[in-house]
């Protein structure tokens, strides 16, 4: 009975996350509240997938007013660059981790690799590596659009501006997954084909969002992490 309730809760949480993500996609692509930085439309949709209604609330409070359509109707919003930079940085790191988890779990599932006979540690290593690969890819794509096509620059920028935030996200996620696995004592908690696994990923990423906030705020205050140019 407890497992059935957990699976039901997992399906509900996943459904709410996907619906929240879809609402942001509709708002940016259909209603044309485009973001000045195009990749943020994707990043916000990914953020809502694990933060759910909280992601929508943050998007409507901070991101939607940055769109040209909103500003044509309401005027320019009050400038709060530091808060927006911190939130943008957190969402970026979270998107890296979400895509890293998906990439990492696909690698572990198809390769069957394990560490010490445990797939959990293999997933940790693969997920973290996947997040860094996604981060470098994001940075490289941005540099291509700006005319600087150097992979070394992308790696350096990730090491300076994203590594600390991504690591904080991932550590919080991994600790939460380990606790969840031992508390539930269920193989579903480590099975990517189970909704329970992705529910724990959602909640772990939400905890990572909170844990990574101080690190991201420190990077912004030091001028290491800045909002990208439009």
């Amino acid at each position: 009975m407890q497992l059935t309730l957990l699976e039901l809760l997992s399906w509900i949480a996943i459904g709410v996350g996907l619906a929240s993500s879809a609402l942001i996609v509709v708002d940016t692509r259909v209603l044309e509240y485009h973001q000045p930085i195009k990749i943020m439309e994707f990043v916000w949709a990914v953020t809502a997938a694990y933060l759910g209604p909280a992601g929508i609330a943050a998007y409507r409070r901070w991101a939607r007013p940055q769109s040209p359509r909103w500003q044509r109707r309401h005027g320019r919003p009050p400038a709060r660059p530091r808060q927006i930079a911190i939130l943008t940085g957190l969402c970026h790191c979270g998107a890296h981790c979400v895509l890293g988890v998906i990439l990492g779990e696909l690698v572990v599932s198809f390769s069957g690799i394990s560490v010490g006979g445990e797939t959990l540690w293999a997933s940790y290593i693969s997920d973290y590596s996947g997040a860094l690969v996604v981060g470098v890819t994001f940075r490289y794509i941005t540099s291509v659009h700006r005319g600087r096509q150097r992979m070394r620059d992308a790696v350096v920028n990730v090491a300076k501006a994203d590594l600390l935030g991504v690591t904080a996200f991932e550590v919080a996620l991994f600790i939460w997954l380990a606790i969840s696995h031992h508390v539930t004592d269920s193989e579903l908690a480590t099975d990517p084909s189970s909704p329970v696994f992705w529910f724990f990923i959602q909640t772990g990423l939400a905890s990572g969002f909170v844990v990574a906030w101080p690190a991201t705020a420190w990077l912004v205050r030091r001028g290491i992490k800045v909002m990208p140019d439009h």
Side-chain angles (χ1 to χ4, degrees):
M1 178 62 71
Q2 290 180 347
L3 186 57
T4 301
L5 290 175
L6 180 58
E7 288 180 301
L8 177 61
L9 177 62
S10 300
W11 280 117
I12 292 174
I14 292 170
V16 169
L18 293 177
S20 300
S21 180
L23 286 174
I24 290 181
V25 171
V26 169
D27 197 63
T28 55
R29 305 309 302 173
V30 179
L31 300 181
E32 298 184 344
Y33 285 94
H34 299 299
Q35 291 294 292
I37 306 167
K38 286 299 182 183
I39 199 170
M40 287 306 300
E41 295 178 7
F42 171 77
V43 168
W44 276 109
V46 173
T47 301
Y50 65 88
L51 288 185
I56 294 178
Y59 163 79
R60 292 185 65 87
R61 175 66 180 86
W62 298 106
R64 203 176 197 237
Q66 305 302 316
S67 68
R69 181 175 185 182
W70 191 96
Q71 292 183 12
R72 285 195 299 268
R73 293 184 172 187
H74 307 284
R76 293 188 62 83
R80 303 190 70 177
R82 178 173 291 180
Q83 289 84 344
I84 296 174
I86 294 172
L87 190 59
T88 301
L90 282 167
C91 292
H92 261 286
C93 290
H96 299 168
C97 294
V98 171
L99 298 180
V101 165
I102 295 173
L103 180 63
E105 292 304 325
L106 286 174
V107 170
V108 172
S109 296
F110 284 104
S111 66
I113 59 175
S114 62
V115 176
E118 288 282 345
T119 59
L120 194 61
W121 283 104
S123 293
Y124 291 168
I125 296 171
S126 187
D127 294 353
Y128 184 68
S129 301
L132 295 181
V133 169
V134 170
V136 171
T137 302
F138 273 24
R139 290 282 182 175
Y140 180 71
I141 291 173
T142 303
S143 69
V144 168
H145 287 175
R146 296 176 184 174
R148 301 194 304 270
Q149 304 182 38
R150 298 182 63 182
M151 180 60 72
R152 184 173 67 86
D153 290 339
V155 174
V156 170
N157 286 333
V158 167
K160 288 198 310 181
D162 297 332
L163 184 61
L164 183 60
V166 168
T167 300
F169 251 101
E170 294 286 346
V171 168
L173 172 63
F174 296 158
I175 291 175
W176 174 251
L177 290 178
I179 293 173
S180 301
H181 174 61
H182 289 293
V183 168
T184 60
D185 194 26
S186 170
E187 293 183 359
L188 295 179
T190 56
D191 182 6
S193 66
S194 165
V196 175
F197 173 82
W198 294 106
F199 170 61
F200 288 149
I201 291 291
Q202 276 184 311
T203 50
L205 287 167
S207 67
F209 194 93
V210 175
V211 171
W213 188 289
T216 304
W218 180 81
L219 290 170
V220 170
R221 286 197 301 269
R222 294 293 298 267
I224 300 172
K225 196 174 188 69
V226 297
M227 288 187 67
D229 296 330
H230 291 183

